[in-house]
């Protein structure tokens, strides 16, 4: 005991000469009071490239400018995608060599997502705030695939986005048999042939909207966009004669402005060609919500009903047996069941 006391007394003799270790980072504690960015200008993300974001501020006005931005450190775990509405601080002049900073992301009205495959529950955010999805398929070369369109429709209904279909290369083959699968869904369809693009019809449909283009590589999606937006300069490719698949030409998503004569400018979002569309994040309820008239009937189904044609207590089957479904509803029921099966089936497209 005395030995310990002696040691204490010896160290106590140093008094004020004991050196206190300084803050190793040589900075002050972080304040809890954060800057107020409520007056920072709002813009839309129209391009994403290796950690840099192209944001257009005050679009369609005399003060419109395009600002290159980085993200604020507090947003490093937040996905920022094409179509996002963001607040930008710092240098927002858009002058060459300047860099703004994205400090917040507004709540999204819609969110188009996909997963790597159907077993992957981690969603990949593709596009934010889109109002329409144009599913581009070719009548031939490459052959149209019902599976990809079904999957795209499921993703659109899940996101609350209005689906459209455009069939290209109709000068090569008749797509009527293929389109019969979707007739009951009441999805607008546009037809395109070599040097005969449905520009006027599409411009009317796209006016004032934000439309994301989805399709396999080689179906003519980028060619169609170049026809709609002459200064887009999107790279186009060809279809491999052996595999029947197109070569990826669009490597990243980008928003392009489609100017209207009397209406507000529209935005066209080109995405890389897809080979698969995982739906691991989509629930059956999201698919059913896209069929408003049938959803009212589904609401009366017993809990746990899978809505298949072999489920005896399914309200949809009971109504069909009693002749209470119209011809249109019967066709839509077939489409609903196909899409429900698609959402649950492995991604083979």
């Amino acid at each position: 005991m005395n030995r310990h006391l002696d040691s204490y007394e010896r160290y106590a003799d140093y008094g004020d000469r004991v050196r206190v270790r300084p803050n190793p980072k040589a900075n002050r504690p972080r304040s809890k009071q954060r800057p107020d960015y409520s007056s920072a200008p709002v813009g839309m993300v129209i391009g994403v490239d290796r950690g840099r974001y192209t944001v257009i501020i005050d679009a369609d006005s005399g003060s419109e400018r395009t600002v290159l931005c980085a993200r604020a450190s507090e947003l490093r775990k937040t996905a920022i995608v094409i179509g996002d509405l963001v607040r930008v601080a710092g240098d927002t002049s858009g002058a060459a060599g300047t860099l703004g900073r994205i400090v917040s992301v507004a709540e999204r009205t819609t969110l188009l997502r996909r997963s790597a495959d159907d077993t992957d529950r981690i969603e990949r955010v593709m596009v934010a705030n889109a109002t329409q999805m144009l599913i581009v398929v070719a009548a031939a070369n490459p052959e149209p695939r019902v599976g990809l369109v079904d999957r795209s429709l499921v993703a659109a209904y899940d996101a609350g986005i209005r689906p459209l279909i455009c069939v290209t290369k109709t000068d090569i083959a008749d797509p009527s048999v293929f389109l019969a699968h979707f007739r009951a869904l009441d999805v607008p369809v546009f037809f395109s042939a070599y040097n005969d693009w449905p520009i006027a019809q599409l411009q009317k449909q796209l006016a004032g909207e934000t439309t994301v283009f989805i399709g396999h590589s080689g179906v003519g999606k980028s060619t169609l966009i170049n026809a709609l937006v002459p200064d887009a300069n999107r790279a186009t490719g060809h279809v491999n004669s052996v595999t029947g698949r197109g070569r990826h030409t669009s490597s990243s998503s980008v928003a392009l402005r489609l100017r209207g004569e009397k209406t507000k400018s529209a935005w066209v979002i080109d995405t890389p060609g897809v080979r698969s569309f995982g739906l691991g994040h989509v629930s059956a309820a999201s698919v059913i919500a896209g069929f408003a008239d049938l959803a009212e009937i589904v609401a009366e189904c017993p809990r746990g009903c899978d809505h298949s044609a072999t489920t005896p207590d399914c309200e949809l089957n009971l109504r069909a047996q009693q002749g209470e479904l119209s011809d249109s509803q019967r066709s839509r029921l077939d489409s609903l069941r196909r899409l429900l099966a698609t959402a649950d089936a492995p991604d083979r497209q």
Side-chain angles (χ1 to χ4, degrees), residues 82-126:
I82 300 292
D84 266 326
L85 297 178
V86 298
R87 287 196 181 274
V88 180
D91 193 330
T92 61
S93 65
T98 62
L99 186 67
R101 188 172 79 260
I102 295 176
V103 293
S104 69
V105 180
E107 183 178 354
R108 294 148 169 167
T109 56
T110 64
L111 193 60
L112 179 61
R113 305 165 295 169
R114 64 182 287 196
S115 54
D117 54 56
D118 290 338
T119 62
D120 185 2
R121 300 296 171 182
I122 300 177
E123 63 188 38
R124 273 69 171 173
V125 180
M126 297 177 64

mmCIF file of all heavy atoms in Angstrom, residues 82-126:
data_model
loop_
_atom_site.group_PDB
_atom_site.id
_atom_site.type_symbol
_atom_site.label_atom_id
_atom_site.label_comp_id
_atom_site.label_asym_id
_atom_site.label_seq_id
_atom_site.Cartn_x
_atom_site.Cartn_y
_atom_site.Cartn_z
ATOM 1 N N ILE A 82 -31.107 9.934 -62.590
ATOM 2 C CA ILE A 82 -31.738 10.787 -63.592
ATOM 3 C C ILE A 82 -33.186 11.076 -63.194
ATOM 4 O O ILE A 82 -33.922 10.173 -62.786
ATOM 5 C CB ILE A 82 -31.714 10.096 -64.976
ATOM 6 C CG1 ILE A 82 -30.279 9.803 -65.417
ATOM 7 C CG2 ILE A 82 -32.428 10.946 -66.018
ATOM 8 C CD1 ILE A 82 -29.475 11.026 -65.734
ATOM 9 N N GLY A 83 -33.583 12.328 -63.320
ATOM 10 C CA GLY A 83 -34.955 12.707 -62.996
ATOM 11 C C GLY A 83 -35.135 13.245 -61.592
ATOM 12 O O GLY A 83 -36.183 13.829 -61.290
ATOM 13 N N ASP A 84 -34.149 13.055 -60.731
ATOM 14 C CA ASP A 84 -34.263 13.564 -59.371
ATOM 15 C C ASP A 84 -34.308 15.089 -59.368
ATOM 16 O O ASP A 84 -33.580 15.746 -60.122
ATOM 17 C CB ASP A 84 -33.072 13.098 -58.517
ATOM 18 C CG ASP A 84 -33.370 11.836 -57.741
ATOM 19 O OD1 ASP A 84 -34.526 11.652 -57.321
ATOM 20 O OD2 ASP A 84 -32.439 11.028 -57.538
ATOM 21 N N LEU A 85 -35.145 15.652 -58.502
ATOM 22 C CA LEU A 85 -35.173 17.092 -58.269
ATOM 23 C C LEU A 85 -34.315 17.368 -57.043
ATOM 24 O O LEU A 85 -34.555 16.788 -55.970
ATOM 25 C CB LEU A 85 -36.604 17.577 -58.047
ATOM 26 C CG LEU A 85 -37.556 17.391 -59.238
ATOM 27 C CD1 LEU A 85 -38.960 17.860 -58.876
ATOM 28 C CD2 LEU A 85 -37.050 18.138 -60.466
ATOM 29 N N VAL A 86 -33.315 18.215 -57.192
ATOM 30 C CA VAL A 86 -32.332 18.428 -56.133
ATOM 31 C C VAL A 86 -32.126 19.917 -55.879
ATOM 32 O O VAL A 86 -32.352 20.752 -56.753
ATOM 33 C CB VAL A 86 -30.980 17.778 -56.510
ATOM 34 C CG1 VAL A 86 -31.122 16.271 -56.677
ATOM 35 C CG2 VAL A 86 -30.417 18.390 -57.800
ATOM 36 N N ARG A 87 -31.679 20.241 -54.669
ATOM 37 C CA ARG A 87 -31.258 21.601 -54.355
ATOM 38 C C ARG A 87 -29.738 21.680 -54.501
ATOM 39 O O ARG A 87 -29.027 20.765 -54.080
ATOM 40 C CB ARG A 87 -31.669 22.001 -52.934
ATOM 41 C CG ARG A 87 -33.164 22.260 -52.800
ATOM 42 C CD ARG A 87 -33.492 23.016 -51.527
ATOM 43 N NE ARG A 87 -34.929 23.229 -51.399
ATOM 44 C CZ ARG A 87 -35.581 24.243 -51.943
ATOM 45 N NH1 ARG A 87 -34.913 25.142 -52.654
ATOM 46 N NH2 ARG A 87 -36.890 24.366 -51.789
ATOM 47 N N VAL A 88 -29.286 22.774 -55.096
ATOM 48 C CA VAL A 88 -27.860 22.927 -55.394
ATOM 49 C C VAL A 88 -27.331 24.164 -54.689
ATOM 50 O O VAL A 88 -27.908 25.255 -54.782
ATOM 51 C CB VAL A 88 -27.634 23.050 -56.915
ATOM 52 C CG1 VAL A 88 -26.148 23.203 -57.225
ATOM 53 C CG2 VAL A 88 -28.204 21.837 -57.641
ATOM 54 N N ALA A 89 -26.218 23.991 -53.964
ATOM 55 C CA ALA A 89 -25.552 25.094 -53.286
ATOM 56 C C ALA A 89 -24.196 25.336 -53.943
ATOM 57 O O ALA A 89 -23.784 24.611 -54.848
ATOM 58 C CB ALA A 89 -25.383 24.778 -51.801
ATOM 59 N N GLY A 90 -23.498 26.334 -53.449
ATOM 60 C CA GLY A 90 -22.187 26.656 -54.014
ATOM 61 C C GLY A 90 -22.322 27.459 -55.292
ATOM 62 O O GLY A 90 -23.217 28.291 -55.434
ATOM 63 N N ASP A 91 -21.443 27.216 -56.238
ATOM 64 C CA ASP A 91 -21.450 27.948 -57.507
ATOM 65 C C ASP A 91 -22.502 27.338 -58.431
ATOM 66 O O ASP A 91 -22.336 26.233 -58.945
ATOM 67 C CB ASP A 91 -20.070 27.885 -58.153
ATOM 68 C CG ASP A 91 -19.923 28.880 -59.296
ATOM 69 O OD1 ASP A 91 -20.940 29.177 -59.955
ATOM 70 O OD2 ASP A 91 -18.803 29.359 -59.520
ATOM 71 N N THR A 92 -23.595 28.043 -58.637
ATOM 72 C CA THR A 92 -24.677 27.550 -59.496
ATOM 73 C C THR A 92 -24.779 28.365 -60.782
ATOM 74 O O THR A 92 -25.816 28.369 -61.433
ATOM 75 C CB THR A 92 -26.027 27.616 -58.756
ATOM 76 O OG1 THR A 92 -26.319 28.985 -58.422
ATOM 77 C CG2 THR A 92 -25.989 26.780 -57.484
ATOM 78 N N SER A 93 -23.673 29.022 -61.158
ATOM 79 C CA SER A 93 -23.695 29.856 -62.359
ATOM 80 C C SER A 93 -23.674 29.029 -63.636
ATOM 81 O O SER A 93 -24.147 29.465 -64.676
ATOM 82 C CB SER A 93 -22.495 30.809 -62.351
ATOM 83 O OG SER A 93 -21.267 30.080 -62.448
ATOM 84 N N GLY A 94 -23.108 27.832 -63.551
ATOM 85 C CA GLY A 94 -22.983 26.996 -64.735
ATOM 86 C C GLY A 94 -21.809 27.377 -65.606
ATOM 87 O O GLY A 94 -21.635 26.822 -66.700
ATOM 88 N N ALA A 95 -20.971 28.284 -65.152
ATOM 89 C CA ALA A 95 -19.805 28.711 -65.930
ATOM 90 C C ALA A 95 -18.793 27.570 -66.035
ATOM 91 O O ALA A 95 -18.725 26.687 -65.171
ATOM 92 C CB ALA A 95 -19.161 29.929 -65.281
ATOM 93 N N ALA A 96 -18.012 27.582 -67.090
ATOM 94 C CA ALA A 96 -17.004 26.534 -67.307
ATOM 95 C C ALA A 96 -16.038 26.482 -66.135
ATOM 96 O O ALA A 96 -15.581 27.513 -65.635
ATOM 97 C CB ALA A 96 -16.252 26.806 -68.610
ATOM 98 N N GLY A 97 -15.722 25.273 -65.695
ATOM 99 C CA GLY A 97 -14.764 25.088 -64.611
ATOM 100 C C GLY A 97 -15.342 25.217 -63.227
ATOM 101 O O GLY A 97 -14.617 25.075 -62.236
ATOM 102 N N THR A 98 -16.645 25.484 -63.097
ATOM 103 C CA THR A 98 -17.267 25.621 -61.778
ATOM 104 C C THR A 98 -17.917 24.308 -61.361
ATOM 105 O O THR A 98 -18.212 23.446 -62.194
ATOM 106 C CB THR A 98 -18.327 26.736 -61.766
ATOM 107 O OG1 THR A 98 -19.379 26.405 -62.701
ATOM 108 C CG2 THR A 98 -17.707 28.061 -62.158
ATOM 109 N N LEU A 99 -18.143 24.174 -60.059
ATOM 110 C CA LEU A 99 -18.724 22.945 -59.528
ATOM 111 C C LEU A 99 -19.694 23.291 -58.408
ATOM 112 O O LEU A 99 -19.317 23.922 -57.416
ATOM 113 C CB LEU A 99 -17.629 22.009 -58.993
ATOM 114 C CG LEU A 99 -18.077 20.614 -58.544
ATOM 115 C CD1 LEU A 99 -18.555 19.792 -59.742
ATOM 116 C CD2 LEU A 99 -16.929 19.890 -57.844
ATOM 117 N N GLY A 100 -20.952 22.914 -58.582
ATOM 118 C CA GLY A 100 -21.942 23.088 -57.541
ATOM 119 C C GLY A 100 -21.957 21.881 -56.620
ATOM 120 O O GLY A 100 -21.192 20.931 -56.783
ATOM 121 N N ARG A 101 -22.864 21.914 -55.645
ATOM 122 C CA ARG A 101 -22.947 20.822 -54.678
ATOM 123 C C ARG A 101 -24.403 20.504 -54.415
ATOM 124 O O ARG A 101 -25.187 21.376 -54.030
ATOM 125 C CB ARG A 101 -22.237 21.212 -53.377
ATOM 126 C CG ARG A 101 -22.114 20.064 -52.375
ATOM 127 C CD ARG A 101 -21.234 20.451 -51.192
ATOM 128 N NE ARG A 101 -21.954 21.288 -50.225
ATOM 129 C CZ ARG A 101 -21.850 22.598 -50.136
ATOM 130 N NH1 ARG A 101 -21.062 23.259 -50.972
ATOM 131 N NH2 ARG A 101 -22.522 23.282 -49.215
ATOM 132 N N ILE A 102 -24.789 19.240 -54.640
ATOM 133 C CA ILE A 102 -26.152 18.797 -54.354
ATOM 134 C C ILE A 102 -26.279 18.602 -52.853
ATOM 135 O O ILE A 102 -25.538 17.806 -52.252
ATOM 136 C CB ILE A 102 -26.482 17.497 -55.097
ATOM 137 C CG1 ILE A 102 -26.467 17.726 -56.619
ATOM 138 C CG2 ILE A 102 -27.833 16.952 -54.667
ATOM 139 C CD1 ILE A 102 -26.681 16.477 -57.438
ATOM 140 N N VAL A 103 -27.204 19.337 -52.232
ATOM 141 C CA VAL A 103 -27.326 19.303 -50.774
ATOM 142 C C VAL A 103 -28.595 18.602 -50.303
ATOM 143 O O VAL A 103 -28.706 18.261 -49.124
ATOM 144 C CB VAL A 103 -27.268 20.734 -50.200
ATOM 145 C CG1 VAL A 103 -25.886 21.334 -50.412
ATOM 146 C CG2 VAL A 103 -28.344 21.631 -50.821
ATOM 147 N N SER A 104 -29.567 18.387 -51.189
ATOM 148 C CA SER A 104 -30.769 17.648 -50.794
ATOM 149 C C SER A 104 -31.472 17.102 -52.027
ATOM 150 O O SER A 104 -31.304 17.628 -53.133
ATOM 151 C CB SER A 104 -31.731 18.539 -49.987
ATOM 152 O OG SER A 104 -32.294 19.542 -50.806
ATOM 153 N N VAL A 105 -32.229 16.039 -51.820
ATOM 154 C CA VAL A 105 -33.003 15.399 -52.887
ATOM 155 C C VAL A 105 -34.469 15.445 -52.490
ATOM 156 O O VAL A 105 -34.850 15.027 -51.393
ATOM 157 C CB VAL A 105 -32.562 13.934 -53.099
ATOM 158 C CG1 VAL A 105 -33.370 13.287 -54.217
ATOM 159 C CG2 VAL A 105 -31.073 13.852 -53.402
ATOM 160 N N ALA A 106 -35.308 15.976 -53.382
ATOM 161 C CA ALA A 106 -36.733 16.104 -53.081
ATOM 162 C C ALA A 106 -37.411 14.735 -53.077
ATOM 163 O O ALA A 106 -36.920 13.770 -53.689
ATOM 164 C CB ALA A 106 -37.397 17.017 -54.105
ATOM 165 N N GLU A 107 -38.538 14.660 -52.394
ATOM 166 C CA GLU A 107 -39.321 13.422 -52.384
ATOM 167 C C GLU A 107 -39.750 13.084 -53.804
ATOM 168 O O GLU A 107 -40.176 13.961 -54.563
ATOM 169 C CB GLU A 107 -40.543 13.585 -51.493
ATOM 170 C CG GLU A 107 -41.373 12.331 -51.351
ATOM 171 C CD GLU A 107 -42.546 12.506 -50.414
ATOM 172 O OE1 GLU A 107 -42.639 13.578 -49.785
ATOM 173 O OE2 GLU A 107 -43.369 11.570 -50.313
ATOM 174 N N ARG A 108 -39.623 11.807 -54.169
ATOM 175 C CA ARG A 108 -39.916 11.388 -55.541
ATOM 176 C C ARG A 108 -41.393 11.041 -55.698
ATOM 177 O O ARG A 108 -41.993 10.421 -54.822
ATOM 178 C CB ARG A 108 -39.061 10.167 -55.901
ATOM 179 C CG ARG A 108 -37.564 10.486 -55.962
ATOM 180 C CD ARG A 108 -36.724 9.327 -55.545
ATOM 181 N NE ARG A 108 -35.308 9.527 -55.843
ATOM 182 C CZ ARG A 108 -34.338 8.759 -55.358
ATOM 183 N NH1 ARG A 108 -34.643 7.750 -54.560
ATOM 184 N NH2 ARG A 108 -33.074 9.002 -55.678
ATOM 185 N N THR A 109 -41.944 11.421 -56.843
ATOM 186 C CA THR A 109 -43.342 11.080 -57.125
ATOM 187 C C THR A 109 -43.456 9.661 -57.667
ATOM 188 O O THR A 109 -44.431 8.962 -57.393
ATOM 189 C CB THR A 109 -43.945 12.063 -58.133
ATOM 190 O OG1 THR A 109 -43.139 12.079 -59.326
ATOM 191 C CG2 THR A 109 -43.970 13.472 -57.557
ATOM 192 N N THR A 110 -42.493 9.229 -58.459
ATOM 193 C CA THR A 110 -42.428 7.848 -58.946
ATOM 194 C C THR A 110 -40.979 7.396 -58.896
ATOM 195 O O THR A 110 -40.052 8.219 -58.881
ATOM 196 C CB THR A 110 -42.937 7.709 -60.401
ATOM 197 O OG1 THR A 110 -42.071 8.461 -61.280
ATOM 198 C CG2 THR A 110 -44.361 8.211 -60.535
ATOM 199 N N LEU A 111 -40.796 6.096 -58.895
ATOM 200 C CA LEU A 111 -39.440 5.543 -58.816
ATOM 201 C C LEU A 111 -39.399 4.230 -59.579
ATOM 202 O O LEU A 111 -40.006 3.245 -59.161
ATOM 203 C CB LEU A 111 -39.055 5.318 -57.351
ATOM 204 C CG LEU A 111 -37.587 5.037 -57.056
ATOM 205 C CD1 LEU A 111 -36.716 6.193 -57.523
ATOM 206 C CD2 LEU A 111 -37.382 4.807 -55.566
ATOM 207 N N LEU A 112 -38.711 4.237 -60.720
ATOM 208 C CA LEU A 112 -38.561 3.014 -61.516
ATOM 209 C C LEU A 112 -37.364 2.247 -60.991
ATOM 210 O O LEU A 112 -36.253 2.766 -60.931
ATOM 211 C CB LEU A 112 -38.372 3.357 -62.989
ATOM 212 C CG LEU A 112 -38.192 2.165 -63.929
ATOM 213 C CD1 LEU A 112 -39.421 1.260 -63.902
ATOM 214 C CD2 LEU A 112 -37.907 2.635 -65.351
ATOM 215 N N ARG A 113 -37.622 0.983 -60.638
ATOM 216 C CA ARG A 113 -36.577 0.163 -60.026
ATOM 217 C C ARG A 113 -36.464 -1.173 -60.745
ATOM 218 O O ARG A 113 -37.366 -1.611 -61.422
ATOM 219 C CB ARG A 113 -36.886 -0.084 -58.551
ATOM 220 C CG ARG A 113 -37.099 1.181 -57.737
ATOM 221 C CD ARG A 113 -37.749 0.862 -56.399
ATOM 222 N NE ARG A 113 -39.096 0.321 -56.562
ATOM 223 C CZ ARG A 113 -39.810 -0.228 -55.591
ATOM 224 N NH1 ARG A 113 -39.303 -0.338 -54.378
ATOM 225 N NH2 ARG A 113 -41.015 -0.699 -55.811
ATOM 226 N N ARG A 114 -35.342 -1.802 -60.549
ATOM 227 C CA ARG A 114 -35.156 -3.171 -61.006
ATOM 228 C C ARG A 114 -34.188 -3.837 -60.045
ATOM 229 O O ARG A 114 -33.471 -3.166 -59.297
ATOM 230 C CB ARG A 114 -34.610 -3.231 -62.439
ATOM 231 C CG ARG A 114 -33.230 -2.634 -62.594
ATOM 232 C CD ARG A 114 -32.742 -2.654 -64.014
ATOM 233 N NE ARG A 114 -32.383 -3.985 -64.454
ATOM 234 C CZ ARG A 114 -31.644 -4.227 -65.536
ATOM 235 N NH1 ARG A 114 -31.214 -3.216 -66.270
ATOM 236 N NH2 ARG A 114 -31.353 -5.443 -65.883
ATOM 237 N N SER A 115 -34.169 -5.170 -60.054
ATOM 238 C CA SER A 115 -33.188 -5.905 -59.270
ATOM 239 C C SER A 115 -32.324 -6.705 -60.233
ATOM 240 O O SER A 115 -32.673 -6.900 -61.401
ATOM 241 C CB SER A 115 -33.876 -6.836 -58.256
ATOM 242 O OG SER A 115 -34.811 -7.682 -58.905
ATOM 243 N N ALA A 116 -31.169 -7.155 -59.740
ATOM 244 C CA ALA A 116 -30.252 -7.878 -60.616
ATOM 245 C C ALA A 116 -30.906 -9.139 -61.163
ATOM 246 O O ALA A 116 -30.730 -9.501 -62.324
ATOM 247 C CB ALA A 116 -28.966 -8.219 -59.866
ATOM 248 N N ASP A 117 -31.667 -9.815 -60.324
ATOM 249 C CA ASP A 117 -32.441 -10.980 -60.753
ATOM 250 C C ASP A 117 -33.579 -11.167 -59.759
ATOM 251 O O ASP A 117 -33.713 -10.422 -58.793
ATOM 252 C CB ASP A 117 -31.568 -12.250 -60.846
ATOM 253 C CG ASP A 117 -30.820 -12.543 -59.558
ATOM 254 O OD1 ASP A 117 -31.494 -12.653 -58.510
ATOM 255 O OD2 ASP A 117 -29.591 -12.647 -59.578
ATOM 256 N N ASP A 118 -34.396 -12.173 -59.988
ATOM 257 C CA ASP A 118 -35.594 -12.334 -59.172
ATOM 258 C C ASP A 118 -35.315 -12.862 -57.770
ATOM 259 O O ASP A 118 -36.207 -12.866 -56.924
ATOM 260 C CB ASP A 118 -36.588 -13.270 -59.871
ATOM 261 C CG ASP A 118 -37.208 -12.613 -61.098
ATOM 262 O OD1 ASP A 118 -37.200 -11.371 -61.146
ATOM 263 O OD2 ASP A 118 -37.669 -13.332 -61.997
ATOM 264 N N THR A 119 -34.097 -13.334 -57.508
ATOM 265 C CA THR A 119 -33.754 -13.789 -56.164
ATOM 266 C C THR A 119 -33.103 -12.674 -55.362
ATOM 267 O O THR A 119 -32.846 -12.835 -54.178
ATOM 268 C CB THR A 119 -32.802 -14.995 -56.234
ATOM 269 O OG1 THR A 119 -31.578 -14.594 -56.891
ATOM 270 C CG2 THR A 119 -33.435 -16.140 -57.006
ATOM 271 N N ASP A 120 -32.822 -11.559 -56.007
ATOM 272 C CA ASP A 120 -32.149 -10.433 -55.369
ATOM 273 C C ASP A 120 -33.194 -9.417 -54.916
ATOM 274 O O ASP A 120 -33.868 -8.809 -55.734
ATOM 275 C CB ASP A 120 -31.169 -9.787 -56.356
ATOM 276 C CG ASP A 120 -30.346 -8.678 -55.705
ATOM 277 O OD1 ASP A 120 -30.520 -8.451 -54.492
ATOM 278 O OD2 ASP A 120 -29.533 -8.059 -56.413
ATOM 279 N N ARG A 121 -33.335 -9.246 -53.615
ATOM 280 C CA ARG A 121 -34.319 -8.314 -53.074
ATOM 281 C C ARG A 121 -33.772 -6.890 -52.992
ATOM 282 O O ARG A 121 -34.486 -5.977 -52.579
ATOM 283 C CB ARG A 121 -34.760 -8.767 -51.677
ATOM 284 C CG ARG A 121 -35.406 -10.147 -51.679
ATOM 285 C CD ARG A 121 -36.697 -10.154 -52.480
ATOM 286 N NE ARG A 121 -37.213 -11.510 -52.652
ATOM 287 C CZ ARG A 121 -38.299 -11.803 -53.337
ATOM 288 N NH1 ARG A 121 -38.973 -10.842 -53.921
ATOM 289 N NH2 ARG A 121 -38.707 -13.052 -53.451
ATOM 290 N N ILE A 122 -32.515 -6.701 -53.362
ATOM 291 C CA ILE A 122 -31.938 -5.357 -53.338
ATOM 292 C C ILE A 122 -32.302 -4.658 -54.634
ATOM 293 O O ILE A 122 -31.957 -5.104 -55.723
ATOM 294 C CB ILE A 122 -30.402 -5.415 -53.186
ATOM 295 C CG1 ILE A 122 -30.025 -6.112 -51.874
ATOM 296 C CG2 ILE A 122 -29.814 -4.009 -53.225
ATOM 297 C CD1 ILE A 122 -28.540 -6.285 -51.682
ATOM 298 N N GLU A 123 -33.003 -3.549 -54.515
ATOM 299 C CA GLU A 123 -33.467 -2.841 -55.697
ATOM 300 C C GLU A 123 -32.424 -1.876 -56.226
ATOM 301 O O GLU A 123 -31.642 -1.318 -55.461
ATOM 302 C CB GLU A 123 -34.752 -2.093 -55.375
ATOM 303 C CG GLU A 123 -34.570 -1.021 -54.324
ATOM 304 C CD GLU A 123 -35.893 -0.424 -53.891
ATOM 305 O OE1 GLU A 123 -36.867 -1.180 -53.786
ATOM 306 O OE2 GLU A 123 -35.927 0.798 -53.636
ATOM 307 N N ARG A 124 -32.375 -1.711 -57.532
ATOM 308 C CA ARG A 124 -31.526 -0.725 -58.186
ATOM 309 C C ARG A 124 -32.421 0.387 -58.712
ATOM 310 O O ARG A 124 -33.310 0.127 -59.523
ATOM 311 C CB ARG A 124 -30.756 -1.342 -59.351
ATOM 312 C CG ARG A 124 -29.432 -2.001 -58.978
ATOM 313 C CD ARG A 124 -29.605 -3.258 -58.165
ATOM 314 N NE ARG A 124 -28.340 -3.970 -58.019
ATOM 315 C CZ ARG A 124 -28.191 -5.031 -57.243
ATOM 316 N NH1 ARG A 124 -29.217 -5.492 -56.548
ATOM 317 N NH2 ARG A 124 -27.027 -5.625 -57.152
ATOM 318 N N VAL A 125 -32.201 1.580 -58.231
ATOM 319 C CA VAL A 125 -33.001 2.710 -58.686
ATOM 320 C C VAL A 125 -32.527 3.114 -60.078
ATOM 321 O O VAL A 125 -31.347 3.362 -60.302
ATOM 322 C CB VAL A 125 -32.876 3.904 -57.718
ATOM 323 C CG1 VAL A 125 -33.718 5.067 -58.200
ATOM 324 C CG2 VAL A 125 -33.296 3.483 -56.316
ATOM 325 N N MET A 126 -33.444 3.180 -61.029
ATOM 326 C CA MET A 126 -33.095 3.515 -62.406
ATOM 327 C C MET A 126 -33.399 4.969 -62.741
ATOM 328 O O MET A 126 -32.531 5.713 -63.196
ATOM 329 C CB MET A 126 -33.841 2.598 -63.379
ATOM 330 C CG MET A 126 -33.490 1.129 -63.271
ATOM 331 S SD MET A 126 -34.493 0.132 -64.404
ATOM 332 C CE MET A 126 -33.962 0.759 -66.003
#
